[in-house]
Structure formats: C-alpha cells, structure tokens
Amino acid sequence: KYVYKHAGLACLATTSTTAASFLANLASVLLALREFGFFMGVCILAAFFLLAIGFPAALVLRDKMRCCSGRRLLQRCNIGCNMDSKAAVSFYIE
C-alpha cells in the first residue's frame, strides 16, 4: 500500500503529463501528427495501467511458483503456498 500511495502517485503524475503532451498533438493541422499523438498518448496510458495491475500480480505468481516448486527460500513462502490467490495478493500488498 505504501508503494502504491507514494511511488504510484509519482508514476501517475509523470505518465499523465507525458500522455497529455502527446495528446496535445490532436490540435495539429497535420493528420499524421494528430494520429501519432493520439496513438502515443493512448499507448502511454495503457502501459501505465497494465504495469500498475499486471506487475504486482506477476510478482505474486512468481513468488507462489518459487514457493510451491520445492525451493523454500523465503519464510513467507510457507504461508503463501497454502493460501488461495486472493489471500496471497492481500498478503503481499499489506
């Protein structure tokens, strides 16, 4: 929660300003520049949302696979392998 609150807010600010600068090209007279600005603005926003949602889930899956494959490297693996997915996500976020 701490990371999402602090680093996530900073990443959201930088992502939104970068996307806004590309989306400002929608006011251009040139069609190619408008299309490029729209495409890049949407791609930057999509990348942020995919990273914000997908990266923590990938970390949970990686740790869960590491735990349950017989390599018990971390103490939390003993807890993580016995939990369902929803409990594992809340365990890592808290």
Side-chain angles (χ1 to χ4, degrees), residues 1 14 43 55 71 84 91:
K1 289 182 181 181
T14 57
C43 284
F55 187 65
R71 289 183 278 158
D84 60 356
F91 174 76

Side-chain angles (χ1 to χ4, degrees), residues 1-58:
K1 289 182 181 181
Y2 178 81
V3 172
Y4 271 109
K5 186 175 181 182
H6 294 283
L9 198 60
C11 288
L12 178 64
T14 57
T15 299
S16 62
T17 56
T18 305
S21 66
F22 278 109
L23 291 172
N25 288 325
L26 291 174
S28 175
V29 178
L30 302 171
L31 178 64
L33 191 58
R34 281 193 310 234
E35 290 176 351
F36 173 74
F38 177 75
F39 177 74
M40 288 305 296
V42 169
C43 284
I44 288 170
L45 290 173
F48 172 74
F49 288 117
L50 287 174
L51 182 70
I53 293 168
F55 187 65

